[in-house]
Amino acid sequence: MDAIRTYALTKYYGKTRGVENIDLTVGQGDYFGFIGPNGAGKSTTIRMLLGLIRPSGGRGEILGLDMEKDCERILERVGYLPAETAFWPGMRVGDVLRLSAGLRGRDCGTAARRLCERLQLDTGRRVDELSLGGRKKTAIVCALQHEPELLIMDEPTSGLDPLMQREFFAILRERNQAGTTIFLSSHVLSEIQRNCAHTAIIRAGSLIASGSVEALVRTGAKRVRVCGRVDHAALEGVRDLRVWAEGAEFLYSGDMQALLAVLARGEVRDLTVSEPDLEEVFMHCYRDGGEGR
């Protein structure tokens, strides 16, 4: 059984496109990244998965349950962190956490205290006095304290300082190692590459690439950085060429023997050949098909 499975999931707002024909599979126990810029359709997809909005077409299954018919049963087993959080003004952090646990009929006091200690969250503070980071940490504890089978997190690190981001990802790693499935939406590509095993890229409401992070990075292209003088025009398969006074850098997907021959004819003082990172793969996908909205 997959943790998430969608079939041609589609959402239109009147005549305006939300997402179209999303076929997404996330295995149980996976650590999955959902990548795209703002407006690409990440949040729309997540809201349909959670039953917060109804799809215009297609269907989905969460933990083996129908996305629409079994919404309440799904929410009992899922932890959700929205991109933006809002709480009743005047409530204290501790009140918010107890309310969240009570809505699930759970006593989460022990887990909540541990999470608050790790995230340095003061439960006595009023939520309307909190910074953006404090509100985000409150929402993180709400999503995690009942120890859900599936965590769905939409842009979770916005507002967190670097130290809290590190602790947050340490918590997610521990949960994932214990069997929790994590579905992480982000436009911060380094977060996905460092933490996720699999990923999907969404552009203008459609999935354009999916698979393991390792496989997506290993596209066959190499990042080449040369210090010295080289005849780049003699090479086929060069893109993203950047030239400066002391050398050049480019992505190369042509024949390696041809590259070596051109380098041998040039004046090379230093050379680095490496795999491209996920950001380069992402930008290449977007350039090939146009920018997402």
Side-chain angles (χ1 to χ4, degrees):
M1 180 182 68
D2 294 312
I4 298 174
R5 188 73 181 266
T6 68
Y7 306 85
L9 198 60
T10 298
K11 179 63 179 179
Y12 269 81
Y13 301 95
K15 295 183 179 180
T16 303
R17 181 272 308 156
V19 298
E20 290 181 307
N21 298 318
I22 300 294
D23 292 320
L24 185 66
T25 302
V26 179
Q28 276 196 311
D30 202 352
Y31 199 142
F32 195 96
F34 195 39
I35 311 172
N38 293 332
K42 303 189 304 297
S43 294
T44 294
T45 302
I46 286 173
R47 289 168 186 157
M48 284 192 287
L49 294 177
L50 293 165
L52 301 177
I53 57 176
R54 294 178 62 87
S56 305
R59 63 185 184 89
E61 296 171 356
I62 310 295
L63 300 171
L65 300 171
D66 186 273
M67 188 179 71
E68 294 186 80
K69 296 178 182 177
D70 301 314
C71 181
E72 290 187 12
R73 294 172 62 194
I74 289 169
L75 292 178
E76 291 174 358
R77 301 165 62 184
V78 173
Y80 171 49
L81 177 67
E84 298 179 2
T85 56
F87 306 105
W88 289 106
M91 294 184 72
R92 298 187 186 276
V93 171
D95 299 329
V96 172
L97 302 183
R98 285 188 290 273
L99 174 62
S100 177
L103 291 172
R104 298 178 180 278
R106 301 278 298 275
D107 179 3
C108 303
T110 300
R113 282 191 294 275
R114 291 172 180 167
L115 288 165
C116 288
E117 288 175 4
R118 295 185 66 172
L119 294 171
Q120 300 176 19
L121 179 61
D122 183 356
T123 58
R125 293 282 304 277
R126 295 187 183 277
V127 291
D128 42 335
E129 298 173 348
L130 295 175
S131 64
L132 174 59
R135 294 196 300 272
K136 181 57 66 79
K137 289 189 283 187
T138 302
I140 289 171
V141 177
C142 287
L144 291 169
Q145 64 178 348
H146 62 291
E147 299 182 348
E149 299 172 49
L150 169 63
L151 275 169
I152 296 179
M153 319 201 87
D154 193 358
E155 304 289 353
T157 59
S158 61
L160 296 182
D161 65 50
L163 289 176
M164 284 299 101
Q165 289 183 26
R166 180 181 300 179
E167 187 63 27
F168 168 71
F169 280 113
I171 293 169
L172 289 193
R173 185 165 55 252
E174 293 165 12
R175 292 293 181 94
N176 183 242
Q177 290 171 349
T180 302
T181 304
I182 296 173
F183 184 84
L184 176 69
S185 163
S186 180
H187 63 264
V188 183
L189 302 180
S190 59
E191 290 181 352
I192 301 298
Q193 186 161 359
R194 282 197 305 266
N195 298 287
C196 297
H198 296 89
T199 189
I201 299 174
I202 186 170
R203 179 188 66 213
S206 299
L207 291 186
I208 57 173
S210 63
S212 72
V213 172
E214 182 180 6
L216 285 177
V217 169
R218 291 183 177 175
T219 59
K222 303 293 183 183
R223 167 61 61 186
V224 180
R225 182 182 177 90
V226 181
C227 290
R229 183 178 58 80
V230 172
D231 183 12
H232 314 101
L235 287 169
E236 294 184 2
V238 171
R239 62 180 188 272
D240 296 341
L241 175 64
R242 288 177 285 175
V243 180
W244 60 93
E246 301 299 321
E249 185 173 356
F250 52 90
L251 276 177
Y252 181 69
S253 56
D255 180 73
M256 291 303 295
Q257 293 299 320
L259 173 63
L260 293 173
V262 169
L263 292 174
R265 293 197 299 268
E267 296 176 2
V268 178
R269 297 190 300 276
D270 193 14
L271 172 68
T272 302
V273 180
S274 60
E275 299 285 352
D277 60 22
L278 188 58
E279 182 172 0
E280 290 173 312
V281 174
F282 175 85
M283 294 307 298
H284 176 61
C285 288
Y286 261 72
R287 279 192 297 268
D288 280 355
E291 287 292 331
R293 289 185 291 168

